[in-house]
Amino acid sequence: MKGLVTESKNNLITVHIVRKEACGQCRACLSGMMETDMDIEAKNLCDAEIGDWVELELQDNAFMHAVLIMYGIPFIGLVIGIVLGYFVIAPFMPFLHEALVSFLVGLIFTGVCYLWIHSQNTRWESGKYRPMATRLTTEDDEMCGA
């Protein structure tokens, strides 16, 4: 995908991306589920300056790793919370239904997982999950290969 550099600081740039209708089959932005306009912070590997058009890339498998972190870890927390809530905590609370206790403990574990992910955000933003501006381009270049 590509976008217009709107801000530059140190080795990072802010890139404004406008998703075009022709890009619908590209699926780089989850088949149009993202907003039509967005600003992304990226590593500046091509010495881009404000007003330049750049191509953005992610390192190999970075997207899948990010998806696993954002959805896999909380899902595992939910399952562990449900199991612990049902078999470990619910027997100590006979006045509450086991399903309710397991559901609430599952939600708590999921919330803890999201809080942990959020606390690690600075570590992951500085690593391989940040997009990279790899080359200068022009506005008229084709955005997605269909």
Side-chain angles (χ1 to χ4, degrees), residues 5-77:
V5 178
T6 58
E7 189 178 328
S8 178
K9 53 186 166 190
N10 298 329
N11 65 339
L12 298 177
I13 55 175
T14 302
V15 181
H16 183 76
I17 298 172
V18 178
R19 188 179 60 84
K20 302 195 179 198
E21 290 299 320
C23 191
Q25 289 87 11
C26 171
R27 298 186 188 263
C29 56
L30 298 176
S31 188
M33 291 169 37
M34 298 179 86
E35 298 176 8
T36 56
D37 288 14
M38 60 185 149
D39 291 323
I40 295 178
E41 196 170 73
K43 293 179 186 176
N44 189 2
L45 301 180
C46 59
D47 297 323
E49 297 176 359
I50 295 174
D52 288 341
W53 284 87
V54 294
E55 283 190 7
L56 296 175
E57 295 179 7
L58 280 175
Q59 287 183 2
D60 292 340
N61 298 324
F63 178 74
M64 286 306 296
H65 287 143
V67 168
L68 286 174
I69 289 169
M70 283 304 298
Y71 297 107
I73 292 173
F75 178 73
I76 291 169

Side-chain angles (χ1 to χ4, degrees), residues 60-129:
D60 292 340
N61 298 324
F63 178 74
M64 286 306 296
H65 287 143
V67 168
L68 286 174
I69 289 169
M70 283 304 298
Y71 297 107
I73 292 173
F75 178 73
I76 291 169
L78 176 67
V79 171
I80 290 172
I82 288 173
V83 170
L84 285 177
Y86 192 84
F87 293 108
V88 177
I89 297 173
F92 293 109
M93 301 178 150
F95 51 90
L96 292 174
H97 195 276
E98 297 94 357
L100 178 62
V101 172
S102 66
F103 174 70
L104 292 175
V105 174
L107 286 180
I108 290 169
F109 272 61
T110 303
V112 168
C113 287
Y114 276 117
L115 289 173
W116 179 78
I117 289 168
H118 182 69
S119 74
Q120 301 298 310
N121 198 29
T122 54
R123 182 180 108 196
W124 288 326
E125 278 185 348
S126 64
K128 65 182 177 182
Y129 304 106

